[in-house]
Amino acid sequence: MAWMKRTAVGLVVAALLAGTGAAVYVQRSFATLDGKLVVKGLRQAVQVQRDGADVTHIRAQSPQDAWFAMGYVHAQERTWQLEFNRRVMHGELSEVFGPATLETDKLMRTLDIMGTAKRQYAGLPLYAREALQAYSQGIHAFHQNRPQALPPEFHILGVQPGGAAGAVWEPEDSVGWALMMALDLGGNWGNEFARLSIAKTLDTERLWQLMPPYPGERPAASADLAALYRQLGVYRATDASASAAPAAAAEPVDRGAAYAALGDGPLSRQISAGMLAWADELTRNAGTNEGKGSNNWVLAGTRTVSGKPLLANDPHLGLSAPAIWYFAGLQAPAGQASDGTPIGAIDAVGATLPGMPFVVLGRTDKVAWGFTNTGPDVQDLYLEQINPADASQYRTPEGWAPFTVRDETIRVKGQADVALKVRSTRHGPVLSDAQKSHADVLDLGKYVLALRWSALDADNQTVLAGLQTNQAKSVDALFAALSHYHSPMQNVVAADDQGNIRFKAAGRAPVRDAANDIRGVAPSPGWDARYDWKGWLPYDQTPEDNGARGWIATANQRVTAPDYPHYLTQDWALPYRYERIAQLIEATDKHDAASMQAIHRDVTSLATRKLLPYLQQAKSSHPLAAAAQEQLKGFDGVMDAGKAAPLVFAAWTDELARGLIVPRIGEARFTATYGKRDYRAALEGILERNDSWWCQPSSCAEQSAAALGRALDRLQAAYGADPAQWRWGAAHPALSVHRPFGNVPALARFFDVSEPSHGDSYTVNVGQYNAGEAKGPFVNRHAASLRAVYDLADLEQSRFIYQTGQSGLVFSPRYRDMSSTWAQTGYRALQRQPARWAHELTLAPAPAAQ
């Protein structure tokens, strides 16, 4: 009995010690928000104050110290996010996750993100380089004398910040992260490759029906694409053995090896499986704008109650935990660089990106601005013909030329290093060496695909534009700063306290030859000089609007007038969000901040209204059809989370797309091209035309009814047999996923952030889903990454919100404390001079060495 008592006491003590240790660790992992920290590298003391809205305000006595402190604060709050993002762009994920992320690393190395970043960094003016250096030094200073425990991600994965070299964040990494944002927002190579792939099975007329031009436009390409590709013989043979494609390009990831690299335990296997799925999604969706969008609008004083402008913005990005943004204010007096170059005073508050030392979206004390993606075609794929007599050469207008070859070594946990030979042509990197899907379509023994992408040019100075916007005191000064903006081109709306409003597309877009009959919508013959770019559209000729009608809005729709002389793209987003914003602006004569916020809340889908009559007319014999149709009565396209009708509609459109398109292009090609690309415009055209070719062997009405039956089978299996109990919000939560723990059930409930959400891909309050996802096809994964409203009558009345919380530390109460407010379209104050401080921290310089 004594032995049992001693054992019991020992277990209790051990449990208490473990609990105490865990509690101490959790507390030590929190960022220091109050008091004083001595930080080596600062010139003078910096005040870091957090207000009641949890916005971090950095008040420094020089620009350099402000940038340094921004780096320190980002490291305090977002250490793992910085580490993960750094590894993504460096192509170094496989050092941590093994072969599960090898394809992602290959893609980043092939694009040469960091080699390009180093070249672009070298071309920046000295003061911009010094700004990035100061920011990097702030991150390093945090890690050199860390006042808090590392977040659990590092301990679970056995990772040290910055890897073996301790390179936690270098100045060039900030340039690299700007390139990664351009990759996320500025791509259309996926559309080009999709057209190439689909042209194997459809003629060009049907191809344009499946991927229609922008409403009211003719196809941008006059070439017969299907005939061209057949004539060139670009496609691989049906028999895989007949293709000369390199094995490395097509070889699948060995799941067993991927699991083994992280260990045999269930947690390790789940992490590996999750990263494998994430890496596949990243490589599959790279180079596409499908399903991505944002809104911004600005009203002149003639349309507002106050007589001063109002501006709203909600950029739509992939949801993540922690969020992509960190809200902060930076204030510092004018200074100078080490060479004497003057640096203007910094005074800005708004959304920063961890990895960059400036406010990307927000306001100064005089001017506010907001972005949406313009989406010009700045990526062209080129078919490069391989010399049959010498595979080291490709064809150019002047004859055969050697590929440029660069050797890369990728370290892979649990396996030998992978040696990668990266080929480039005069257009850019050979993308088909890194995209497995290309090997499934092309005969890579005859042709490869090279990428021309504007963002990779050495003169990209986007970060310089970002630094200078934080000094702007007027609309004119803001757009002068944005003249340096390169990639990705953004629709910028701005307003200042003098009453000026303006829109301009800021960024680089190529000029194409008048003889170019493909115009970048699909891969072009790389040896024909007429398909090469002929220069750049001058900044003074990019689209702009001075707001003469009293308001300006952009929502990724076509932003050029019919008589605009330059071609930018044909892959604009469908104009439904823009049209709804315009309706709501025009519905009120004089707006105030509350009516601007009401537009942010709107969940009426004009796209749903377009197709809804076909669903309501569907005559299905399914046992639940009558009950489902009852839910559709009175439904007018309002995508309310608490209703069943939006779920029925979403499932029906998904099944209709599958039923009409799969028989025409095949299951594999449909799976490869569907998902964020929902083929909505194609469905609209097919049903409007009552197109018997697409609907064969049934009528379109019969196809619609059959799609409803299949949709009801799915919904019944998932949500029960009573359609009245179905809820759109249950199938459509806004899910902010953590990397890498979002796919680990035991961890996801702690690390992910999820809230029921309204909307769909076409509502102002957007809720974009990926119908191609096997798990959670209607989950909202891409939404308003932030919302902001700026009142130029009193900029201190500005408001913001985003979907997680300021802290990236999972145990912190500030990790998810904005999520429910965001889901309910609420806001927090965005002020430069708040009435009180919730936390006050002084970063003090270390004493000079004696």
Short mmCIF file of all heavy atoms in Angstrom, two decimals, residues 603-638:
data_model
loop_
_atom_site.label_atom_id
_atom_site.label_comp_id
_atom_site.label_asym_id
_atom_site.label_seq_id
_atom_site.Cartn_x
_atom_site.Cartn_y
_atom_site.Cartn_z
N VAL A 603 -24.30 40.85 -49.31
CA VAL A 603 -24.09 39.46 -49.75
C VAL A 603 -25.08 39.07 -50.84
O VAL A 603 -25.43 37.90 -51.00
CB VAL A 603 -24.14 38.47 -48.58
CG1 VAL A 603 -22.94 38.65 -47.68
CG2 VAL A 603 -25.44 38.59 -47.79
N THR A 604 -25.53 40.04 -51.63
CA THR A 604 -26.36 39.73 -52.79
C THR A 604 -25.47 39.36 -53.96
O THR A 604 -24.60 40.14 -54.36
CB THR A 604 -27.24 40.94 -53.17
OG1 THR A 604 -28.13 41.21 -52.10
CG2 THR A 604 -28.04 40.66 -54.43
N SER A 605 -25.68 38.18 -54.51
CA SER A 605 -24.86 37.67 -55.61
C SER A 605 -25.61 37.85 -56.93
O SER A 605 -26.58 37.14 -57.22
CB SER A 605 -24.54 36.19 -55.40
OG SER A 605 -23.89 35.65 -56.54
N LEU A 606 -25.18 38.82 -57.74
CA LEU A 606 -25.79 39.02 -59.05
C LEU A 606 -25.54 37.82 -59.95
O LEU A 606 -26.34 37.53 -60.85
CB LEU A 606 -25.27 40.30 -59.68
CG LEU A 606 -25.53 41.60 -58.91
CD1 LEU A 606 -25.05 42.80 -59.72
CD2 LEU A 606 -26.99 41.75 -58.55
N ALA A 607 -24.42 37.13 -59.73
CA ALA A 607 -24.14 35.92 -60.52
C ALA A 607 -25.14 34.82 -60.20
O ALA A 607 -25.58 34.07 -61.08
CB ALA A 607 -22.72 35.44 -60.24
N THR A 608 -25.51 34.69 -58.93
CA THR A 608 -26.52 33.71 -58.55
C THR A 608 -27.85 34.06 -59.20
O THR A 608 -28.56 33.17 -59.72
CB THR A 608 -26.67 33.66 -57.02
OG1 THR A 608 -25.45 33.18 -56.46
CG2 THR A 608 -27.80 32.74 -56.59
N ARG A 609 -28.21 35.32 -59.20
CA ARG A 609 -29.46 35.74 -59.85
C ARG A 609 -29.48 35.36 -61.33
O ARG A 609 -30.54 35.06 -61.88
CB ARG A 609 -29.63 37.25 -59.70
CG ARG A 609 -30.00 37.71 -58.30
CD ARG A 609 -30.19 39.22 -58.27
NE ARG A 609 -30.61 39.67 -56.95
CZ ARG A 609 -30.84 40.96 -56.65
NH1 ARG A 609 -30.68 41.90 -57.58
NH2 ARG A 609 -31.22 41.29 -55.43
N LYS A 610 -28.31 35.35 -61.96
CA LYS A 610 -28.25 35.06 -63.40
C LYS A 610 -28.66 33.62 -63.68
O LYS A 610 -29.38 33.34 -64.65
CB LYS A 610 -26.82 35.32 -63.88
CG LYS A 610 -26.61 35.24 -65.39
CD LYS A 610 -27.03 36.53 -66.05
CE LYS A 610 -26.70 36.54 -67.54
NZ LYS A 610 -25.27 36.85 -67.78
N LEU A 611 -28.21 32.67 -62.86
CA LEU A 611 -28.48 31.25 -63.11
C LEU A 611 -29.67 30.71 -62.33
O LEU A 611 -30.17 29.63 -62.65
CB LEU A 611 -27.24 30.42 -62.76
CG LEU A 611 -26.05 30.48 -63.71
CD1 LEU A 611 -24.96 29.53 -63.25
CD2 LEU A 611 -26.46 30.16 -65.14
N LEU A 612 -30.10 31.43 -61.32
CA LEU A 612 -31.14 30.92 -60.43
C LEU A 612 -32.41 30.47 -61.15
O LEU A 612 -32.98 29.42 -60.79
CB LEU A 612 -31.46 31.97 -59.37
CG LEU A 612 -32.48 31.59 -58.30
CD1 LEU A 612 -32.01 30.36 -57.53
CD2 LEU A 612 -32.73 32.76 -57.35
N PRO A 613 -32.91 31.17 -62.16
CA PRO A 613 -34.15 30.70 -62.82
C PRO A 613 -34.03 29.29 -63.39
O PRO A 613 -35.01 28.54 -63.38
CB PRO A 613 -34.36 31.73 -63.93
CG PRO A 613 -33.68 32.98 -63.42
CD PRO A 613 -32.49 32.49 -62.67
N TYR A 614 -32.84 28.91 -63.87
CA TYR A 614 -32.68 27.56 -64.43
C TYR A 614 -32.80 26.51 -63.32
O TYR A 614 -33.33 25.42 -63.55
CB TYR A 614 -31.32 27.45 -65.12
CG TYR A 614 -31.16 28.41 -66.28
CD1 TYR A 614 -30.45 29.61 -66.11
CD2 TYR A 614 -31.73 28.14 -67.52
CE1 TYR A 614 -30.30 30.50 -67.15
CE2 TYR A 614 -31.59 29.03 -68.58
CZ TYR A 614 -30.88 30.21 -68.39
OH TYR A 614 -30.74 31.10 -69.43
N LEU A 615 -32.29 26.83 -62.13
CA LEU A 615 -32.44 25.90 -61.01
C LEU A 615 -33.89 25.82 -60.56
O LEU A 615 -34.42 24.73 -60.30
CB LEU A 615 -31.54 26.36 -59.85
CG LEU A 615 -31.73 25.63 -58.51
CD1 LEU A 615 -31.50 24.13 -58.66
CD2 LEU A 615 -30.79 26.21 -57.46
N GLN A 616 -34.55 26.95 -60.47
CA GLN A 616 -35.93 26.95 -60.00
C GLN A 616 -36.88 26.25 -60.96
O GLN A 616 -37.94 25.76 -60.56
CB GLN A 616 -36.38 28.39 -59.76
CG GLN A 616 -35.67 29.06 -58.58
CD GLN A 616 -35.95 30.53 -58.46
OE1 GLN A 616 -36.14 31.22 -59.48
NE2 GLN A 616 -35.99 31.05 -57.25
N GLN A 617 -36.47 26.16 -62.22
CA GLN A 617 -37.29 25.47 -63.22
C GLN A 617 -36.95 23.99 -63.35
O GLN A 617 -37.62 23.26 -64.10
CB GLN A 617 -37.11 26.16 -64.58
CG GLN A 617 -37.61 27.59 -64.63
CD GLN A 617 -37.04 28.38 -65.80
OE1 GLN A 617 -36.46 27.81 -66.74
NE2 GLN A 617 -37.17 29.70 -65.74
N ALA A 618 -35.92 23.54 -62.64
CA ALA A 618 -35.48 22.14 -62.78
C ALA A 618 -36.56 21.19 -62.26
O ALA A 618 -37.06 21.35 -61.14
CB ALA A 618 -34.18 21.93 -62.03
N LYS A 619 -36.89 20.18 -63.04
CA LYS A 619 -37.93 19.20 -62.69
C LYS A 619 -37.26 17.88 -62.33
O LYS A 619 -37.05 17.01 -63.17
CB LYS A 619 -38.89 19.00 -63.87
CG LYS A 619 -39.52 20.27 -64.40
CD LYS A 619 -40.38 20.97 -63.35
CE LYS A 619 -41.07 22.21 -63.93
NZ LYS A 619 -41.84 22.95 -62.91
N SER A 620 -36.89 17.75 -61.09
CA SER A 620 -36.19 16.55 -60.63
C SER A 620 -37.17 15.60 -59.96
O SER A 620 -38.10 16.02 -59.26
CB SER A 620 -35.07 16.93 -59.65
OG SER A 620 -34.52 15.79 -59.05
N SER A 621 -36.92 14.30 -60.13
CA SER A 621 -37.74 13.29 -59.46
C SER A 621 -37.14 12.88 -58.12
O SER A 621 -37.64 11.95 -57.48
CB SER A 621 -37.86 12.05 -60.36
OG SER A 621 -36.57 11.51 -60.64
N HIS A 622 -36.13 13.56 -57.69
CA HIS A 622 -35.48 13.21 -56.42
C HIS A 622 -36.49 13.38 -55.27
O HIS A 622 -37.28 14.34 -55.26
CB HIS A 622 -34.27 14.11 -56.19
CG HIS A 622 -33.37 13.65 -55.09
ND1 HIS A 622 -33.66 13.85 -53.76
CD2 HIS A 622 -32.18 12.99 -55.12
CE1 HIS A 622 -32.70 13.34 -53.02
NE2 HIS A 622 -31.78 12.81 -53.82
N PRO A 623 -36.48 12.49 -54.28
CA PRO A 623 -37.44 12.59 -53.17
C PRO A 623 -37.39 13.92 -52.41
O PRO A 623 -38.39 14.33 -51.83
CB PRO A 623 -37.03 11.42 -52.25
CG PRO A 623 -36.33 10.46 -53.14
CD PRO A 623 -35.66 11.27 -54.19
N LEU A 624 -36.22 14.59 -52.42
CA LEU A 624 -36.11 15.85 -51.69
C LEU A 624 -36.29 17.07 -52.60
O LEU A 624 -36.16 18.21 -52.13
CB LEU A 624 -34.75 15.94 -51.00
CG LEU A 624 -34.43 14.88 -49.94
CD1 LEU A 624 -33.09 15.19 -49.29
CD2 LEU A 624 -35.52 14.80 -48.91
N ALA A 625 -36.59 16.85 -53.87
CA ALA A 625 -36.65 17.97 -54.81
C ALA A 625 -37.70 18.99 -54.42
O ALA A 625 -37.46 20.20 -54.45
CB ALA A 625 -36.89 17.45 -56.23
N ALA A 626 -38.88 18.53 -54.05
CA ALA A 626 -39.95 19.47 -53.70
C ALA A 626 -39.57 20.31 -52.48
O ALA A 626 -39.79 21.53 -52.45
CB ALA A 626 -41.25 18.71 -53.45
N ALA A 627 -38.99 19.65 -51.47
CA ALA A 627 -38.58 20.37 -50.27
C ALA A 627 -37.47 21.36 -50.58
O ALA A 627 -37.43 22.46 -50.02
CB ALA A 627 -38.14 19.38 -49.19
N ALA A 628 -36.55 20.97 -51.46
CA ALA A 628 -35.46 21.87 -51.84
C ALA A 628 -36.01 23.07 -52.61
O ALA A 628 -35.60 24.22 -52.38
CB ALA A 628 -34.43 21.13 -52.67
N GLN A 629 -36.93 22.81 -53.53
CA GLN A 629 -37.52 23.92 -54.28
C GLN A 629 -38.30 24.86 -53.36
O GLN A 629 -38.36 26.07 -53.60
CB GLN A 629 -38.44 23.38 -55.39
CG GLN A 629 -37.70 22.72 -56.55
CD GLN A 629 -36.93 23.72 -57.42
OE1 GLN A 629 -36.89 24.90 -57.14
NE2 GLN A 629 -36.31 23.21 -58.48
N GLU A 630 -38.86 24.32 -52.28
CA GLU A 630 -39.55 25.15 -51.31
C GLU A 630 -38.58 26.15 -50.68
O GLU A 630 -38.93 27.32 -50.43
CB GLU A 630 -40.20 24.29 -50.24
CG GLU A 630 -41.07 25.03 -49.26
CD GLU A 630 -42.32 25.62 -49.90
OE1 GLU A 630 -42.78 25.08 -50.93
OE2 GLU A 630 -42.82 26.63 -49.37
N GLN A 631 -37.36 25.69 -50.42
CA GLN A 631 -36.35 26.58 -49.85
C GLN A 631 -35.92 27.66 -50.84
O GLN A 631 -35.48 28.74 -50.43
CB GLN A 631 -35.12 25.78 -49.41
CG GLN A 631 -35.39 24.80 -48.29
CD GLN A 631 -35.93 25.48 -47.05
OE1 GLN A 631 -35.38 26.48 -46.59
NE2 GLN A 631 -37.03 24.94 -46.52
N LEU A 632 -36.08 27.37 -52.13
CA LEU A 632 -35.66 28.32 -53.15
C LEU A 632 -36.71 29.39 -53.42
O LEU A 632 -36.43 30.39 -54.07
CB LEU A 632 -35.33 27.59 -54.45
CG LEU A 632 -34.11 26.65 -54.41
CD1 LEU A 632 -34.05 25.79 -55.66
CD2 LEU A 632 -32.82 27.46 -54.25
N LYS A 633 -37.93 29.18 -52.92
CA LYS A 633 -38.97 30.17 -53.12
C LYS A 633 -38.60 31.46 -52.39
O LYS A 633 -38.26 31.45 -51.21
CB LYS A 633 -40.32 29.65 -52.61
CG LYS A 633 -40.93 28.58 -53.49
CD LYS A 633 -42.30 28.15 -52.95
CE LYS A 633 -42.93 27.09 -53.85
NZ LYS A 633 -44.24 26.63 -53.31
N GLY A 634 -38.68 32.55 -53.08
CA GLY A 634 -38.34 33.84 -52.47
C GLY A 634 -36.85 34.11 -52.40
O GLY A 634 -36.44 35.21 -52.02
N PHE A 635 -36.03 33.12 -52.75
CA PHE A 635 -34.58 33.32 -52.74
C PHE A 635 -34.21 34.23 -53.90
O PHE A 635 -34.59 34.00 -55.04
CB PHE A 635 -33.89 31.96 -52.87
CG PHE A 635 -32.38 32.03 -52.95
CD1 PHE A 635 -31.64 32.72 -52.01
CD2 PHE A 635 -31.71 31.37 -53.97
CE1 PHE A 635 -30.26 32.77 -52.08
CE2 PHE A 635 -30.32 31.39 -54.04
CZ PHE A 635 -29.60 32.10 -53.10
N ASP A 636 -33.44 35.29 -53.59
CA ASP A 636 -33.09 36.27 -54.62
C ASP A 636 -31.59 36.49 -54.69
O ASP A 636 -31.12 37.59 -54.91
CB ASP A 636 -33.81 37.59 -54.33
CG ASP A 636 -33.76 38.54 -55.54
OD1 ASP A 636 -33.60 38.06 -56.67
OD2 ASP A 636 -33.85 39.76 -55.32
N GLY A 637 -30.85 35.42 -54.45
CA GLY A 637 -29.40 35.52 -54.58
C GLY A 637 -28.70 36.10 -53.38
O GLY A 637 -27.50 36.42 -53.48
N VAL A 638 -29.38 36.26 -52.26
CA VAL A 638 -28.73 36.73 -51.03
C VAL A 638 -28.10 35.51 -50.36
O VAL A 638 -28.80 34.63 -49.86
CB VAL A 638 -29.74 37.42 -50.09
CG1 VAL A 638 -29.04 37.82 -48.79
CG2 VAL A 638 -30.34 38.65 -50.78
#
